[in-house]
């Protein structure tokens, strides 16, 4: 662990704590925004999708810029542009303006990912998996806090925009805080530390982008698709298929979120001591498949609660670990490959709501979760191939030396 970079890492995690709020900010303020922008719920959902569009358009470029100019500039820019989004939305005079601000938020998100994930891996080269999955923990914590903050302002009849302005202020303060902090020299890390710990010496032959690289891109897509489907359709499944009351069905998402939070905390410990990230990305889709099949064939509300918990547990952190494995294999282009995997995830975030929405029009919500099960199978196959290739090209003697040094 590099103690001189601990404050820098803290700043990066604060950004993702705030991002957890941003991810649900528009949906949580839908009633206010529909009045302000003279639209309906569908219109707000299109603004939410604009964030995904902004991500998709900019992920690849952000990754290239991260490798060329370093991690810190991308992270600082992401903090500034995310603050612009948070200030701009409550002050937007019309729908097109709000839509543009949402695209800006997507661009900010892509810059944050392309700068932060490689930076955390460079700060914690011996525990990169743990460092990456902790991002998910901070996102979950931020999302859990936002409803209480919104309720605080609402109970006092204050302007709803304060729930936007406060995170914006913290983003700006955090940007100033990180501006003065040191970050690893990404070019030096690539040429020295990475070659010693996670670079060429670790593999007996070079990893291939057309093989394990593509498989990891697929995992980036499926991992995002799996939790997107669950977060959108679990309550509806509970009501229409299991006959649960509305309040009870919505609680399925609470159990899902609890499972996700517990998972990332467990992974943060085990990845630094017991598990390899490449193992987790294979095991977790298996758990997801079992949980989804249980939900489909054992139509009992109490069993559905357990299934929702394990779905949350097994989908949390897979995207972050896919990036970890990708940057381990292609260590000399960490920013670029992060952008590629994140682009696949962004595509899933846009396509899955559209595809499952069309499926729901058949009147059979179960079809959506059958599709979800198929996605988990695809993720399992891709992860099995990555594991096969990883073990085939791994220099076991060199890997054992690295583990001994880490311990």
């Amino acid at each position: 662990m590099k103690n001189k970079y601990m404050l820098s890492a803290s700043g990066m995690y604060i950004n993702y704590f705030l991002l957890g709020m941003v991810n649900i900010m528009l949906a949580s303020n839908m009633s206010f925004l529909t009045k302000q922008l003279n639209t309906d719920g569908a219109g707000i959902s299109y603004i939410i999708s604009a964030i995904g569009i902004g991500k998709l358009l900019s992920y690849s470029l952000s990754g290239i810029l991260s490798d060329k100019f370093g991690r810190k500039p991308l992270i600082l820019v992401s903090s500034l542009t995310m603050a612009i989004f948070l200030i701009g939305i409550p002050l937007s005079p019309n729908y097109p303006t709000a839509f543009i601000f949402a695209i800006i938020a997507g661009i900010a998100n892509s810059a944050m990912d392309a700068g932060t994930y490689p930076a955390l891996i460079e700060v914690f080269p011996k525990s990169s998996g743990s460092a990456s999955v902790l991002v998910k923990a901070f996102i979950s914590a931020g999302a859990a806090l936002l409803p209480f903050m919104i309720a605080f302002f609402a109970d006092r009849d204050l302007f709803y925009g304060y729930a936007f302005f406060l995170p914006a202020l913290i983003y700006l303060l955090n940007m100033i805080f990180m501006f003065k902090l040191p970050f690893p020299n990404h070019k030096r890390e690539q040429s020295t530390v990475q070659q010693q710990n996670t670079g060429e010496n670790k593999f007996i032959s070079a990893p291939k982008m057309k093989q394990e690289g593509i498989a990891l891109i697929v995992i980036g897509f499926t991992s995002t698709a799996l939790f997107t489907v669950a977060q959108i359709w679990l309550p509806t499944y509970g009501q229409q298929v299991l006959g649960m009351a509305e309040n009870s069905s919505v609680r399925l998402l609470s159990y899902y979120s609890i499972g996700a939070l517990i998972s990332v905390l467990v992974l943060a410990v085990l990845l630094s001591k017991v598990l390899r990230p490449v193992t987790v990305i294979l095991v977790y889709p298996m758990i997801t498949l079992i949980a989804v099949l249980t939900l489909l064939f054992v139509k009992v509300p109490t069993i559905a609660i357990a299934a929702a918990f394990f779905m949350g547990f097994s989908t949390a952190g897979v995207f972050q670990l896919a990036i970890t494995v990708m940057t381990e294999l292609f260590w000399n282009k960490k920013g670029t490959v992060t952008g590629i995997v994140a682009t696949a995830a962004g595509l899933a975030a846009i396509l899955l709501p559209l595809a499952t929405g069309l499926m729901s029009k058949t009147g059979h919500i179960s079809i959506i979760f059958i599709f979800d099960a198929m996605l988990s199978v695809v993720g399992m196959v891709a992860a099995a191939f990555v594991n096969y290739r990883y073990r085939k090209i791994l220099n076991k003697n060199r890997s054992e030396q690295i583990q001994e040094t880490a311990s």
Side-chain angles (χ1 to χ4, degrees):
M1 183 180 294
K2 301 180 179 180
N3 290 327
K4 67 177 181 178
Y5 298 129
M6 286 299 294
L7 287 177
S8 302
S10 299
M12 289 184 265
Y13 285 126
I14 289 171
N15 275 348
Y16 277 93
F17 175 80
L18 298 172
L19 183 64
M21 297 183 182
V22 170
N23 286 342
I24 62 171
M25 186 71 78
L26 296 179
S28 300
N29 289 279
M30 188 174 291
S31 60
F32 299 108
L33 290 169
T34 52
K35 294 178 183 178
Q36 174 183 327
L37 302 175
N38 193 27
T39 186
D40 55 13
I44 301 303
S45 70
Y46 295 147
I47 292 179
I48 294 172
S49 70
I51 297 177
I53 293 171
K55 291 181 187 178
L56 195 62
L57 292 175
S58 57
Y59 261 133
S60 295
L61 178 60
S62 294
I64 294 170
L65 292 175
S66 176
D67 282 336
K68 185 172 183 178
F69 297 108
R71 321 309 181 194
K72 186 174 180 178
L74 269 291
I75 294 170
L76 296 178
V77 168
S78 72
S79 297
L80 176 62
T81 49
M82 197 64 81
I84 291 172
F85 159 75
L86 288 166
I87 295 170
I89 287 292
L91 302 180
S92 294
N94 51 52
Y95 189 90
T97 303
F99 197 90
I100 292 171
F101 279 123
I103 292 176
I104 290 173
I107 295 171
N109 196 165
S110 71
M112 191 181 298
D113 287 347
T116 302
Y117 284 113
L120 287 173
I121 290 167
E122 289 161 357
V123 170
F124 305 109
K126 297 174 183 176
S127 55
S128 57
S130 298
S132 295
V133 297
L134 276 176
V135 168
K136 181 66 175 179
F138 278 90
I139 290 173
S140 298
L145 179 62
L146 180 67
F148 295 99
M149 190 167 68
I150 291 174
F152 176 86
F153 293 125
D155 290 344
R156 289 159 179 77
D157 294 323
L158 297 172
F159 176 47
Y160 84 93
Y162 289 138
F164 287 74
F165 297 155
L166 182 57
L169 176 61
I170 300 173
Y171 262 124
L172 292 173
L173 292 175
N174 197 40
M175 179 187 69
I176 296 170
F177 169 70
M178 287 194 292
F179 182 80
K180 301 178 181 180
L181 294 176
F183 277 66
N185 184 316
H186 69 290
K187 293 183 179 180
R188 185 173 66 243
E189 291 292 316
Q190 288 172 358
S191 62
T192 57
V193 176
Q194 291 301 314
Q195 286 185 6
Q196 294 171 8
N197 292 331
T198 59
E200 292 173 331
N201 294 334
K202 188 172 181 177
F203 302 105
I204 57 178
S205 62
K208 297 180 180 180
M209 178 60 70
K210 292 184 178 180
Q211 294 187 27
E212 52 268 33
I214 290 177
L216 284 162
I217 293 169
V218 170
I219 294 170
F221 181 92
T222 57
S223 61
T224 303
L226 287 169
F227 72 70
T228 299
V229 171
Q231 288 182 332
I232 294 174
W233 296 106
L234 263 177
T236 304
Y237 185 88
Q239 291 180 58
Q240 296 188 13
V241 178
L242 303 179
M244 300 172 70
E246 182 177 355
N247 290 339
S248 297
S249 65
V250 171
R251 289 196 192 100
L252 290 176
L253 286 180
S254 297
Y255 294 110
Y256 180 94
S257 299
I258 292 170
L261 185 57
I262 291 175
S263 174
V264 294
L265 295 176
V266 169
L267 286 176
V269 175
L270 295 182
L271 283 169
S272 62
K273 298 179 179 180
V274 180
L275 294 175
R276 289 182 181 271
V278 73
T279 303
V280 177
I281 64 174
L282 174 60
V283 173
Y284 267 29
M286 295 178 181
I287 299 174
T288 303
L289 178 61
I290 294 171
V292 173
L293 292 177
T294 301
L295 192 70
L296 285 168
F297 292 105
V298 187
K299 299 177 181 179
V300 179
T302 52
I303 299 298
I305 290 172
F309 174 88
F310 281 105
M311 287 172 68
F313 185 93
S314 59
T315 55
V318 176
F319 167 70
Q320 286 79 13
L321 291 179
I323 289 178
T324 300
V325 177
M326 190 72 148
T327 55
E328 180 183 358
L329 293 173
F330 304 98
W331 54 271
N332 56 336
K333 295 182 179 179
K334 290 194 293 293
T336 301
V337 296
T338 296
I340 294 172
V341 176
T343 298
L347 190 62
I350 294 173
L351 292 181
L352 266 294
L354 297 175
T356 54
L358 292 174
M359 292 178 193
S360 70
K361 292 183 178 180
T362 65
H364 301 286
I365 300 300
S366 295
I367 294 175
I368 294 173
F369 284 91
I370 293 172
F371 178 65
D372 202 43
M374 294 170 60
L375 287 172
S376 64
V377 172
V378 173
M380 285 168 49
V381 172
F385 180 75
V386 171
N387 271 263
Y388 164 74
R389 284 287 301 163
Y390 187 92
R391 285 164 174 75
K392 185 175 181 180
I393 66 175
L394 182 67
N395 184 339
K396 294 182 179 180
N397 292 332
R398 180 58 181 162
S399 180
E400 290 171 0
Q401 292 173 9
I402 292 169
Q403 289 181 343
E404 290 175 1
T405 302
S407 61

mmCIF file with all atom_site columns, all heavy atoms in Angstrom, residues 331-351:
data_model
loop_
_atom_site.group_PDB
_atom_site.id
_atom_site.type_symbol
_atom_site.label_atom_id
_atom_site.label_alt_id
_atom_site.label_comp_id
_atom_site.label_asym_id
_atom_site.label_entity_id
_atom_site.label_seq_id
_atom_site.pdbx_PDB_ins_code
_atom_site.Cartn_x
_atom_site.Cartn_y
_atom_site.Cartn_z
_atom_site.occupancy
_atom_site.B_iso_or_equiv
_atom_site.pdbx_formal_charge
_atom_site.auth_seq_id
_atom_site.auth_comp_id
_atom_site.auth_asym_id
_atom_site.auth_atom_id
_atom_site.pdbx_PDB_model_num
ATOM 1   N N   . TRP A 1 331 ? -2.067  -4.441 -19.181 1.00 0.00 ? 331 TRP A N   1
ATOM 2   C CA  . TRP A 1 331 ? -1.602  -3.493 -18.179 1.00 0.00 ? 331 TRP A CA  1
ATOM 3   C C   . TRP A 1 331 ? -1.038  -2.212 -18.771 1.00 0.00 ? 331 TRP A C   1
ATOM 4   O O   . TRP A 1 331 ? -0.999  -1.172 -18.118 1.00 0.00 ? 331 TRP A O   1
ATOM 5   C CB  . TRP A 1 331 ? -0.531  -4.158 -17.309 1.00 0.00 ? 331 TRP A CB  1
ATOM 6   C CG  . TRP A 1 331 ? 0.594   -4.728 -18.121 1.00 0.00 ? 331 TRP A CG  1
ATOM 7   C CD1 . TRP A 1 331 ? 0.661   -5.970 -18.647 1.00 0.00 ? 331 TRP A CD1 1
ATOM 8   C CD2 . TRP A 1 331 ? 1.791   -4.061 -18.510 1.00 0.00 ? 331 TRP A CD2 1
ATOM 9   N NE1 . TRP A 1 331 ? 1.832   -6.138 -19.357 1.00 0.00 ? 331 TRP A NE1 1
ATOM 10  C CE2 . TRP A 1 331 ? 2.550   -4.975 -19.277 1.00 0.00 ? 331 TRP A CE2 1
ATOM 11  C CE3 . TRP A 1 331 ? 2.308   -2.786 -18.276 1.00 0.00 ? 331 TRP A CE3 1
ATOM 12  C CZ2 . TRP A 1 331 ? 3.780   -4.652 -19.815 1.00 0.00 ? 331 TRP A CZ2 1
ATOM 13  C CZ3 . TRP A 1 331 ? 3.542   -2.463 -18.816 1.00 0.00 ? 331 TRP A CZ3 1
ATOM 14  C CH2 . TRP A 1 331 ? 4.259   -3.384 -19.575 1.00 0.00 ? 331 TRP A CH2 1
ATOM 15  N N   . ASN A 1 332 ? -0.567  -2.250 -20.021 1.00 0.00 ? 332 ASN A N   1
ATOM 16  C CA  . ASN A 1 332 ? 0.070   -1.079 -20.615 1.00 0.00 ? 332 ASN A CA  1
ATOM 17  C C   . ASN A 1 332 ? -0.927  -0.109 -21.257 1.00 0.00 ? 332 ASN A C   1
ATOM 18  O O   . ASN A 1 332 ? -0.538  0.938  -21.759 1.00 0.00 ? 332 ASN A O   1
ATOM 19  C CB  . ASN A 1 332 ? 1.113   -1.500 -21.662 1.00 0.00 ? 332 ASN A CB  1
ATOM 20  C CG  . ASN A 1 332 ? 0.516   -2.388 -22.737 1.00 0.00 ? 332 ASN A CG  1
ATOM 21  O OD1 . ASN A 1 332 ? -0.502  -3.043 -22.509 1.00 0.00 ? 332 ASN A OD1 1
ATOM 22  N ND2 . ASN A 1 332 ? 1.136   -2.408 -23.898 1.00 0.00 ? 332 ASN A ND2 1
ATOM 23  N N   . LYS A 1 333 ? -2.218  -0.470 -21.230 1.00 0.00 ? 333 LYS A N   1
ATOM 24  C CA  . LYS A 1 333 ? -3.256  0.422  -21.769 1.00 0.00 ? 333 LYS A CA  1
ATOM 25  C C   . LYS A 1 333 ? -4.466  0.402  -20.844 1.00 0.00 ? 333 LYS A C   1
ATOM 26  O O   . LYS A 1 333 ? -5.591  0.185  -21.275 1.00 0.00 ? 333 LYS A O   1
ATOM 27  C CB  . LYS A 1 333 ? -3.660  -0.007 -23.183 1.00 0.00 ? 333 LYS A CB  1
ATOM 28  C CG  . LYS A 1 333 ? -2.547  0.131  -24.215 1.00 0.00 ? 333 LYS A CG  1
ATOM 29  C CD  . LYS A 1 333 ? -3.033  -0.275 -25.600 1.00 0.00 ? 333 LYS A CD  1
ATOM 30  C CE  . LYS A 1 333 ? -1.941  -0.112 -26.640 1.00 0.00 ? 333 LYS A CE  1
ATOM 31  N NZ  . LYS A 1 333 ? -2.401  -0.521 -28.004 1.00 0.00 ? 333 LYS A NZ  1
ATOM 32  N N   . LYS A 1 334 ? -4.224  0.636  -19.569 1.00 0.00 ? 334 LYS A N   1
ATOM 33  C CA  . LYS A 1 334 ? -5.300  0.482  -18.583 1.00 0.00 ? 334 LYS A CA  1
ATOM 34  C C   . LYS A 1 334 ? -6.475  1.425  -18.850 1.00 0.00 ? 334 LYS A C   1
ATOM 35  O O   . LYS A 1 334 ? -7.634  1.037  -18.736 1.00 0.00 ? 334 LYS A O   1
ATOM 36  C CB  . LYS A 1 334 ? -4.742  0.706  -17.177 1.00 0.00 ? 334 LYS A CB  1
ATOM 37  C CG  . LYS A 1 334 ? -3.819  -0.411 -16.703 1.00 0.00 ? 334 LYS A CG  1
ATOM 38  C CD  . LYS A 1 334 ? -3.556  -0.336 -15.224 1.00 0.00 ? 334 LYS A CD  1
ATOM 39  C CE  . LYS A 1 334 ? -2.753  0.881  -14.850 1.00 0.00 ? 334 LYS A CE  1
ATOM 40  N NZ  . LYS A 1 334 ? -1.372  0.839  -15.366 1.00 0.00 ? 334 LYS A NZ  1
ATOM 41  N N   . GLY A 1 335 ? -6.188  2.686  -19.156 1.00 0.00 ? 335 GLY A N   1
ATOM 42  C CA  . GLY A 1 335 ? -7.266  3.630  -19.416 1.00 0.00 ? 335 GLY A CA  1
ATOM 43  C C   . GLY A 1 335 ? -8.081  3.254  -20.632 1.00 0.00 ? 335 GLY A C   1
ATOM 44  O O   . GLY A 1 335 ? -9.316  3.298  -20.619 1.00 0.00 ? 335 GLY A O   1
ATOM 45  N N   . THR A 1 336 ? -7.394  2.845  -21.687 1.00 0.00 ? 336 THR A N   1
ATOM 46  C CA  . THR A 1 336 ? -8.076  2.483  -22.933 1.00 0.00 ? 336 THR A CA  1
ATOM 47  C C   . THR A 1 336 ? -8.982  1.274  -22.743 1.00 0.00 ? 336 THR A C   1
ATOM 48  O O   . THR A 1 336 ? -10.151 1.285  -23.158 1.00 0.00 ? 336 THR A O   1
ATOM 49  C CB  . THR A 1 336 ? -7.045  2.192  -24.041 1.00 0.00 ? 336 THR A CB  1
ATOM 50  O OG1 . THR A 1 336 ? -6.240  3.368  -24.246 1.00 0.00 ? 336 THR A OG1 1
ATOM 51  C CG2 . THR A 1 336 ? -7.736  1.823  -25.344 1.00 0.00 ? 336 THR A CG2 1
ATOM 52  N N   . VAL A 1 337 ? -8.466  0.214  -22.114 1.00 0.00 ? 337 VAL A N   1
ATOM 53  C CA  . VAL A 1 337 ? -9.276  -0.997 -21.958 1.00 0.00 ? 337 VAL A CA  1
ATOM 54  C C   . VAL A 1 337 ? -10.402 -0.787 -20.951 1.00 0.00 ? 337 VAL A C   1
ATOM 55  O O   . VAL A 1 337 ? -11.481 -1.390 -21.073 1.00 0.00 ? 337 VAL A O   1
ATOM 56  C CB  . VAL A 1 337 ? -8.416  -2.220 -21.570 1.00 0.00 ? 337 VAL A CB  1
ATOM 57  C CG1 . VAL A 1 337 ? -7.442  -2.558 -22.687 1.00 0.00 ? 337 VAL A CG1 1
ATOM 58  C CG2 . VAL A 1 337 ? -7.682  -2.014 -20.248 1.00 0.00 ? 337 VAL A CG2 1
ATOM 59  N N   . THR A 1 338 ? -10.184 0.091  -19.954 1.00 0.00 ? 338 THR A N   1
ATOM 60  C CA  . THR A 1 338 ? -11.278 0.444  -19.049 1.00 0.00 ? 338 THR A CA  1
ATOM 61  C C   . THR A 1 338 ? -12.408 1.094  -19.833 1.00 0.00 ? 338 THR A C   1
ATOM 62  O O   . THR A 1 338 ? -13.590 0.780  -19.630 1.00 0.00 ? 338 THR A O   1
ATOM 63  C CB  . THR A 1 338 ? -10.782 1.408  -17.951 1.00 0.00 ? 338 THR A CB  1
ATOM 64  O OG1 . THR A 1 338 ? -9.812  0.751  -17.142 1.00 0.00 ? 338 THR A OG1 1
ATOM 65  C CG2 . THR A 1 338 ? -11.933 1.870  -17.067 1.00 0.00 ? 338 THR A CG2 1
ATOM 66  N N   . GLY A 1 339 ? -12.042 1.992  -20.734 1.00 0.00 ? 339 GLY A N   1
ATOM 67  C CA  . GLY A 1 339 ? -13.053 2.647  -21.560 1.00 0.00 ? 339 GLY A CA  1
ATOM 68  C C   . GLY A 1 339 ? -13.818 1.685  -22.437 1.00 0.00 ? 339 GLY A C   1
ATOM 69  O O   . GLY A 1 339 ? -15.030 1.824  -22.626 1.00 0.00 ? 339 GLY A O   1
ATOM 70  N N   . ILE A 1 340 ? -13.139 0.660  -22.954 1.00 0.00 ? 340 ILE A N   1
ATOM 71  C CA  . ILE A 1 340 ? -13.801 -0.316 -23.825 1.00 0.00 ? 340 ILE A CA  1
ATOM 72  C C   . ILE A 1 340 ? -14.820 -1.148 -23.040 1.00 0.00 ? 340 ILE A C   1
ATOM 73  O O   . ILE A 1 340 ? -15.973 -1.328 -23.477 1.00 0.00 ? 340 ILE A O   1
ATOM 74  C CB  . ILE A 1 340 ? -12.757 -1.235 -24.486 1.00 0.00 ? 340 ILE A CB  1
ATOM 75  C CG1 . ILE A 1 340 ? -11.879 -0.425 -25.450 1.00 0.00 ? 340 ILE A CG1 1
ATOM 76  C CG2 . ILE A 1 340 ? -13.438 -2.376 -25.235 1.00 0.00 ? 340 ILE A CG2 1
ATOM 77  C CD1 . ILE A 1 340 ? -10.693 -1.202 -26.001 1.00 0.00 ? 340 ILE A CD1 1
ATOM 78  N N   . VAL A 1 341 ? -14.409 -1.650 -21.871 1.00 0.00 ? 341 VAL A N   1
ATOM 79  C CA  . VAL A 1 341 ? -15.337 -2.443 -21.056 1.00 0.00 ? 341 VAL A CA  1
ATOM 80  C C   . VAL A 1 341 ? -16.508 -1.586 -20.595 1.00 0.00 ? 341 VAL A C   1
ATOM 81  O O   . VAL A 1 341 ? -17.670 -2.028 -20.605 1.00 0.00 ? 341 VAL A O   1
ATOM 82  C CB  . VAL A 1 341 ? -14.603 -3.048 -19.841 1.00 0.00 ? 341 VAL A CB  1
ATOM 83  C CG1 . VAL A 1 341 ? -15.590 -3.797 -18.936 1.00 0.00 ? 341 VAL A CG1 1
ATOM 84  C CG2 . VAL A 1 341 ? -13.508 -3.994 -20.289 1.00 0.00 ? 341 VAL A CG2 1
ATOM 85  N N   . ALA A 1 342 ? -16.216 -0.346 -20.198 1.00 0.00 ? 342 ALA A N   1
ATOM 86  C CA  . ALA A 1 342 ? -17.271 0.546  -19.739 1.00 0.00 ? 342 ALA A CA  1
ATOM 87  C C   . ALA A 1 342 ? -18.223 0.925  -20.877 1.00 0.00 ? 342 ALA A C   1
ATOM 88  O O   . ALA A 1 342 ? -19.413 1.157  -20.644 1.00 0.00 ? 342 ALA A O   1
ATOM 89  C CB  . ALA A 1 342 ? -16.665 1.800  -19.129 1.00 0.00 ? 342 ALA A CB  1
ATOM 90  N N   . THR A 1 343 ? -17.724 0.982  -22.106 1.00 0.00 ? 343 THR A N   1
ATOM 91  C CA  . THR A 1 343 ? -18.598 1.239  -23.251 1.00 0.00 ? 343 THR A CA  1
ATOM 92  C C   . THR A 1 343 ? -19.615 0.115  -23.411 1.00 0.00 ? 343 THR A C   1
ATOM 93  O O   . THR A 1 343 ? -20.804 0.362  -23.677 1.00 0.00 ? 343 THR A O   1
ATOM 94  C CB  . THR A 1 343 ? -17.766 1.384  -24.539 1.00 0.00 ? 343 THR A CB  1
ATOM 95  O OG1 . THR A 1 343 ? -16.880 2.503  -24.407 1.00 0.00 ? 343 THR A OG1 1
ATOM 96  C CG2 . THR A 1 343 ? -18.660 1.598  -25.749 1.00 0.00 ? 343 THR A CG2 1
ATOM 97  N N   . ALA A 1 344 ? -19.156 -1.123 -23.250 1.00 0.00 ? 344 ALA A N   1
ATOM 98  C CA  . ALA A 1 344 ? -20.074 -2.266 -23.319 1.00 0.00 ? 344 ALA A CA  1
ATOM 99  C C   . ALA A 1 344 ? -21.128 -2.167 -22.224 1.00 0.00 ? 344 ALA A C   1
ATOM 100 O O   . ALA A 1 344 ? -22.311 -2.445 -22.451 1.00 0.00 ? 344 ALA A O   1
ATOM 101 C CB  . ALA A 1 344 ? -19.296 -3.570 -23.190 1.00 0.00 ? 344 ALA A CB  1
ATOM 102 N N   . ALA A 1 345 ? -20.704 -1.751 -21.027 1.00 0.00 ? 345 ALA A N   1
ATOM 103 C CA  . ALA A 1 345 ? -21.650 -1.582 -19.927 1.00 0.00 ? 345 ALA A CA  1
ATOM 104 C C   . ALA A 1 345 ? -22.651 -0.470 -20.223 1.00 0.00 ? 345 ALA A C   1
ATOM 105 O O   . ALA A 1 345 ? -23.846 -0.600 -19.943 1.00 0.00 ? 345 ALA A O   1
ATOM 106 C CB  . ALA A 1 345 ? -20.888 -1.281 -18.636 1.00 0.00 ? 345 ALA A CB  1
ATOM 107 N N   . GLY A 1 346 ? -22.158 0.627  -20.807 1.00 0.00 ? 346 GLY A N   1
ATOM 108 C CA  . GLY A 1 346 ? -23.047 1.722  -21.169 1.00 0.00 ? 346 GLY A CA  1
ATOM 109 C C   . GLY A 1 346 ? -24.070 1.313  -22.212 1.00 0.00 ? 346 GLY A C   1
ATOM 110 O O   . GLY A 1 346 ? -25.238 1.719  -22.166 1.00 0.00 ? 346 GLY A O   1
ATOM 111 N N   . LEU A 1 347 ? -23.634 0.477  -23.152 1.00 0.00 ? 347 LEU A N   1
ATOM 112 C CA  . LEU A 1 347 ? -24.553 -0.033 -24.170 1.00 0.00 ? 347 LEU A CA  1
ATOM 113 C C   . LEU A 1 347 ? -25.649 -0.872 -23.527 1.00 0.00 ? 347 LEU A C   1
ATOM 114 O O   . LEU A 1 347 ? -26.828 -0.767 -23.890 1.00 0.00 ? 347 LEU A O   1
ATOM 115 C CB  . LEU A 1 347 ? -23.769 -0.854 -25.191 1.00 0.00 ? 347 LEU A CB  1
ATOM 116 C CG  . LEU A 1 347 ? -24.501 -1.272 -26.465 1.00 0.00 ? 347 LEU A CG  1
ATOM 117 C CD1 . LEU A 1 347 ? -24.933 -0.054 -27.261 1.00 0.00 ? 347 LEU A CD1 1
ATOM 118 C CD2 . LEU A 1 347 ? -23.601 -2.162 -27.322 1.00 0.00 ? 347 LEU A CD2 1
ATOM 119 N N   . ALA A 1 348 ? -25.269 -1.690 -22.561 1.00 0.00 ? 348 ALA A N   1
ATOM 120 C CA  . ALA A 1 348 ? -26.253 -2.512 -21.856 1.00 0.00 ? 348 ALA A CA  1
ATOM 121 C C   . ALA A 1 348 ? -27.255 -1.642 -21.106 1.00 0.00 ? 348 ALA A C   1
ATOM 122 O O   . ALA A 1 348 ? -28.454 -1.941 -21.080 1.00 0.00 ? 348 ALA A O   1
ATOM 123 C CB  . ALA A 1 348 ? -25.546 -3.456 -20.885 1.00 0.00 ? 348 ALA A CB  1
ATOM 124 N N   . ALA A 1 349 ? -26.760 -0.564 -20.493 1.00 0.00 ? 349 ALA A N   1
ATOM 125 C CA  . ALA A 1 349 ? -27.638 0.321  -19.725 1.00 0.00 ? 349 ALA A CA  1
ATOM 126 C C   . ALA A 1 349 ? -28.668 1.007  -20.607 1.00 0.00 ? 349 ALA A C   1
ATOM 127 O O   . ALA A 1 349 ? -29.756 1.370  -20.135 1.00 0.00 ? 349 ALA A O   1
ATOM 128 C CB  . ALA A 1 349 ? -26.798 1.361  -18.985 1.00 0.00 ? 349 ALA A CB  1
ATOM 129 N N   . ILE A 1 350 ? -28.353 1.182  -21.879 1.00 0.00 ? 350 ILE A N   1
ATOM 130 C CA  . ILE A 1 350 ? -29.302 1.803  -22.817 1.00 0.00 ? 350 ILE A CA  1
ATOM 131 C C   . ILE A 1 350 ? -30.233 0.756  -23.421 1.00 0.00 ? 350 ILE A C   1
ATOM 132 O O   . ILE A 1 350 ? -31.453 0.941  -23.503 1.00 0.00 ? 350 ILE A O   1
ATOM 133 C CB  . ILE A 1 350 ? -28.548 2.548  -23.932 1.00 0.00 ? 350 ILE A CB  1
ATOM 134 C CG1 . ILE A 1 350 ? -27.773 3.734  -23.354 1.00 0.00 ? 350 ILE A CG1 1
ATOM 135 C CG2 . ILE A 1 350 ? -29.522 3.050  -25.007 1.00 0.00 ? 350 ILE A CG2 1
ATOM 136 C CD1 . ILE A 1 350 ? -26.869 4.425  -24.355 1.00 0.00 ? 350 ILE A CD1 1
ATOM 137 N N   . LEU A 1 351 ? -29.677 -0.384 -23.854 1.00 0.00 ? 351 LEU A N   1
ATOM 138 C CA  . LEU A 1 351 ? -30.453 -1.372 -24.600 1.00 0.00 ? 351 LEU A CA  1
ATOM 139 C C   . LEU A 1 351 ? -31.400 -2.197 -23.729 1.00 0.00 ? 351 LEU A C   1
ATOM 140 O O   . LEU A 1 351 ? -32.510 -2.513 -24.154 1.00 0.00 ? 351 LEU A O   1
ATOM 141 C CB  . LEU A 1 351 ? -29.504 -2.317 -25.355 1.00 0.00 ? 351 LEU A CB  1
ATOM 142 C CG  . LEU A 1 351 ? -28.700 -1.705 -26.494 1.00 0.00 ? 351 LEU A CG  1
ATOM 143 C CD1 . LEU A 1 351 ? -27.826 -2.777 -27.151 1.00 0.00 ? 351 LEU A CD1 1
ATOM 144 C CD2 . LEU A 1 351 ? -29.627 -1.077 -27.533 1.00 0.00 ? 351 LEU A CD2 1
#
